[in-house]
Amino acid sequence: MGWNIREWMCGGYRAERADGETVFIYRRPDWGTGASGTRQFFELRSRGELIGRISAETAWKPLLRAEWLAEEDRPLNENDLLEIASVLRF
């Protein structure tokens, strides 16, 4: 399924799928999160719950890392996280 990602507010994004599912993507600072070696750090939230984290290591060719954090059944899955991560620009 395709995701439509638009800038939303304060460097964050809003991802919408054709079936109406929405994911909010928030840019987080690398300090204070235990991710001080990362270049960019995003949290993905769906319906108020943290469902994933996307980060890029500091390097000339960033290594992208996507973590699925949701524990309960949701209309989203790891494949959606990978699709969103591939569209974001790091």
Side-chain angles (χ1 to χ4, degrees):
M1 294 188 176
W3 287 90
N4 181 19
I5 298 179
R6 298 184 305 215
E7 286 196 37
W8 182 48
M9 61 177 240
C10 299
Y13 300 92
R14 181 179 175 165
E16 295 175 333
R17 198 165 57 182
D19 65 355
E21 195 63 39
T22 303
V23 174
F24 294 96
I25 306 164
Y26 298 98
R27 185 184 306 268
R28 296 290 186 221
D30 58 1
W31 45 267
T33 59
S36 60
T38 60
R39 188 174 95 183
Q40 292 186 15
F41 182 66
F42 293 99
E43 285 184 354
L44 285 74
R45 294 190 172 267
S46 173
R47 301 177 185 178
E49 297 288 324
L50 180 65
I51 61 166
R53 193 173 289 141
I54 300 172
S55 60
E57 303 258 338
T58 305
W60 66 274
K61 186 176 179 184
L63 176 64
L64 196 62
R65 181 177 179 190
E67 299 175 75
W68 181 253
L69 302 173
E71 294 179 4
E72 58 189 54
D73 290 338
R74 299 188 156 273
L76 302 169
N77 58 31
E78 292 89 351
N79 291 332
D80 294 314
L81 176 65
L82 293 175
E83 285 181 24
I84 291 171
S86 68
V87 175
L88 288 176
R89 294 184 183 138
F90 283 91

